Amino acid sequence: MTETVVTFCRICEPLCGMIATVEDGRLTSLRPDREQPLSSGFACRKGVAFTEVVNDPDRVTTPLRRGPDGFEEVGWDEAMADIAARLTRVLRAHGSGAVGWYMGNPAAFSYSHLMGVIAFIKGIGRHSHYFTASTQDTSSRLLASQFLYGSPLSVPIPDLNRTDLLVVMGANPLVSHGSFLTAPRIKDRLREISGRGRVVVIDPRRTETAAAHEWLGIVPDTDAFLLLSLLQVLFAEDLARPGARVRDLGWLRAQAAPFTPESTAGSTGIAPEQVRELARALAGTPRAAVYGRFGTCVGRHGTLTNYLIDAVNLVAGNLDIPGGSVFSTLGIRGQRWAMVVMGALLRRAYRRDRGRIGGFGPVIGAEPAALMAKQITTPGPRRIRALFVSAGNPVLSVPNGDELEAATEHLDLMVGLDFYRTETAAHCDYLLPVTTMYERDDFALTFQQFQATPFRQATEAVVRPPGRARTEWEIIDDLMRRMSKRTPVFAALALLRAALRRLGRRFHPRPLADLIIRLSAGGAGAGRTGLTFDRLTGAHPHGVVVAPEIATGVLGEVLAYGDRRVHLRHPEIAAEIAALAGETGTARYPLRLIGMREPRSENSWMHNSPLLRRGAHRPHRALMHHDDAAGLGIADGAAVRVSSATGSIELPVELTGDIVRGAVAIPHGYGHRGTGGWRLANQVGGVNVNLLMSSEPGDIEALAGMSRLTGVPISVRPAGETVPSTPPTRQARPCAE
Ligand SMILES: Nc1nc2c(c(=O)[nH]1)N[C@H]1C(S)=C(S)[C@@H](COP(=O)(O)OP(=O)(O)OC[C@H]3O[C@@H](n4cnc5c(=O)[nH]c(N)nc54)[C@H](O)[C@@H]3O)O[C@H]1N2
Ligand SMILES: Nc1nc2c(c(=O)[nH]1)N[C@H]1C(S)=C(S)[C@@H](COP(=O)(O)OP(=O)(O)OC[C@H]3O[C@@H](n4cnc5c(=O)[nH]c(N)nc54)[C@H](O)[C@@H]3O)O[C@H]1N2
Ligand code: SF4
Ligand SMILES: [Mo]
């Protein structure tokens, strides 16, 4: 029997509508949904290729236990009983501080996975370690919001539908499809903005997005200088229109005063007249917004940079206005009080719960993943002895994967929840097979407040899980049940589980997601009409636009501070500004490393799809300016050795004029090895760029504990040229193509 099922893609943030074809219970194809009102017939190649992930012969569909001869199949009950027993031993001997969980990027796309992990890792005890991909991605953005608005959950996005001037810093939406911004068909949205106004892309590389719009090349990791000089111009030329809900504007003005465009040009490479022109345009265009993303989050001063992006929007009069930088709230009545309570708790945790290594405070409850290896190997209280990894491949995605690999051997228990035998999973005692997104129900909770057009869509599972795969929620619930006598939270959840069973109901986070849908704009509340989870999947499978535009004038609602004002003055921010000025480069590592995402690659995990490898595919390579290469005697296509103070890798180089001089771009997510069980990915070649990134506490961002993944000082030399006392080198294995 063949049926078509309406659903949506959850690989990346636009959540494009999809039509799945299911034949005899098996997913046979995915195509874009023309009736989804926002993605309206668009899906990228990765989304379509996902059928190959679901049906991948390399997929793990049975629990695996690592034995002396590698992984062997094991039954669920046996696996879970042993995991619970070993975890109990760890808890008894060392307390909750010995337990850690790393939750990777795809978890953000599953409400039940997210809620399950939080219940588990916070419920196991207050000393546990919770790591997420966010310290490789967004923590600095979230912490900037915590400083400015009192809550990390108040994150502004550009009002794409209405803006006439969009300044994009450190994002490449034509390839990434947008981040912290759920806007399907973002290429079209940007083209429309250029049609009626301007899109200016500030990036060290003339990216796909920059090439389609205006490009302003910037020296990597100098955005804070540029933003301070924009503020200096706004104040000096009397262009500041910040509105009434702000405190300590004079303080900000004084902080920015020394950073004239003339003084920052040497750092940024951007001419003073261009800075002035941009500042005037931002203040003079009624609908203008600055949007920063990944590239502005992962430098030396990510929190400061994000703070300054919002400060520029605020001072130019562009915060919380139509076409400006806006807060796409869920529209829940009384949401301000939830903000106030959550904000106070999270601010307190940030101040109080300082980590034992480096002293970093948690940002939305998560601690720096860069320090995970050291948390495993450093003796003392809260040393991690049991580690869970779900939806992540930190051996490739966090700094210094070699250190993490070595550290895993010190663990008493390591459990992976994945459907591939990744480089990280290879070190697990147990690998537990999970469902893919098409085998579970979903509502993309995380991304609701990043919707450029307020929209709701939910889906039921499209096909049944293959083999013995289970959802993360089922696995976590099982474990919490087996350990219900171990912690007060698990005991309380056991009572709730039992009570629900007596009522004939299952214990599951879906009612919570349903409640949020009901309370949000367009929701049914307790009523008979309006949206619920069931009505979204039943009556509105293509999704519902709940408002044509994002509501503005909501700043008072998203401010979590008691005085309902934006707080500009923070000693931490002052210290970061002071630190900026004092930094200099080293002669030994004169170049700056930046990242680069590719259309057919998704972090570390879409390299096993034949469709995505088909045709002209470029090998893993470093992109470098031809003038820089000429000076070093490096020819196009030559193998080079790239070294940092942490490590050294070898790979081919591609020369270009589309990058600022001094910057070198290398994609991440490569370096699959025989240890991983994905056959095609292992043939793809390439090398792990994160071997160049430092995991030393002094090298990660001071306020949010962000890994430093851009602007890293490096040197590039022809491969084979011997350089005395450089760190060990990892060779790129040859590419299959
Ligand atoms: N140098 C450098 N490093 C980077 C970045 C960079 O740009 N440059 N980017 C950073 C960013 S932004 C991020 S988000 C991180 C990403 O890094 P991670 O969070 O570690 O995740 P991924 O590499 O995306 O690997 C995701 C894993 O989840 C599995 N998976 C997919 N779907 C599911 C699911 O539904 N359930 C479960 N349980 N597993 C699933 C996949 O098989 C894969 O093994 O990398 C960061 N690292
Ligand atoms: N095809 C594809 N799509 C993806 C992903 C993927 O791996 N592949 N990953 C997904 C994930 S997890 C995320 S978080 C998003 C990220 O999506 P985006 O936020 O759009 O991030 P990137 O595409 O990495 O683009 C970051 C840009 O910042 C630039 N940059 C680097 N350093 C600096 C700097 O110091 N200053 C400035 N101004 N720019 C700088 C880089 O050159 C790059 O063009 O993409 C998502 N979408
Ligand atoms: S753009 Fe992202 S959400 Fe849309 S189809 Fe591609 S991978 Fe899926
Ligand atoms: Mo990410």
Side-chain angles (χ1 to χ4, degrees), residues 8-18 39 42-48 109 175-177 184 437-438 602 606:
F8 58 96
C9 178
R10 281 148 276 164
I11 300 173
C12 76
E13 297 175 45
L15 309 167
C16 302
M18 285 286 184
S39 62
F42 173 82
C44 80
R45 201 188 270 251
K46 284 177 292 156
V48 172
F109 294 82
V175 171
S176 70
H177 298 280
M437 58 186 166
Y438 292 114
E602 183 72 15
M606 291 289 285

Side-chain angles (χ1 to χ4, degrees), residues 25-238:
R26 187 170 183 271
L27 178 72
T28 54
S29 79
L30 290 160
R31 62 183 158 85
D33 179 6
R34 289 212 195 100
E35 291 173 63
Q36 205 269 31
L38 302 173
S39 62
S40 54
F42 173 82
C44 80
R45 201 188 270 251
K46 284 177 292 156
V48 172
F50 206 83
T51 317
E52 295 183 340
V53 173
V54 173
N55 301 316
D56 196 328
D58 290 342
R59 194 174 155 184
V60 178
T61 57
T62 309
L64 298 178
R65 177 172 56 202
R66 193 154 57 110
D69 304 319
F71 279 123
E72 58 196 22
E73 297 192 357
V74 61
W76 271 111
D77 192 52
E78 200 184 334
M80 296 305 289
D82 189 39
I83 292 168
R86 289 165 72 172
L87 192 57
T88 300
R89 281 201 293 278
V90 168
L91 266 185
R92 280 214 183 109
H94 309 286
S96 63
V99 184
W101 193 300
Y102 174 86
M103 189 177 77
N105 170 273
F109 294 82
S110 163
Y111 78 94
S112 56
H113 184 168
L114 207 64
M115 291 181 184
V117 172
I118 293 172
F120 177 82
I121 198 65
K122 299 295 176 188
I124 203 156
R126 59 178 293 247
H127 299 295
S128 63
H129 296 266
Y130 173 52
F131 307 96
T132 69
S134 65
T135 45
Q136 323 304 302
D137 183 344
T138 65
S139 290
S140 53
R141 170 60 262 181
L142 303 175
L143 185 62
S145 283
Q146 183 167 306
F147 282 130
L148 287 164
Y149 315 114
S151 165
L153 307 172
S154 297
V155 177
I157 64 165
D159 188 2
L160 287 190
N161 297 348
R162 293 180 285 185
T163 195
D164 296 325
L165 167 59
L166 179 67
V167 177
V168 177
M169 302 180 80
N172 185 15
L174 258 55
V175 171
S176 70
H177 298 280
S179 182
F180 267 40
L181 187 54
T182 288
R185 289 184 164 274
I186 195 159
K187 187 178 176 180
D188 297 347
R189 297 287 87 77
L190 296 186
R191 202 187 300 127
E192 286 158 13
I193 299 169
S194 268
R196 61 177 186 262
R198 283 170 80 187
V199 175
V200 180
V201 181
I202 300 175
D203 199 298
R205 185 167 74 85
R206 188 165 180 265
T207 60
E208 296 74 359
T209 310
H213 302 276
E214 282 177 54
W215 178 43
L216 208 52
I218 188 168
V219 171
D221 204 14
T222 62
D223 302 79
F225 286 104
L226 171 65
L227 292 158
L228 281 162
S229 64
L230 287 171
L231 284 171
Q232 193 276 337
V233 176
L234 290 169
F235 285 118
E237 298 193 1
D238 199 18

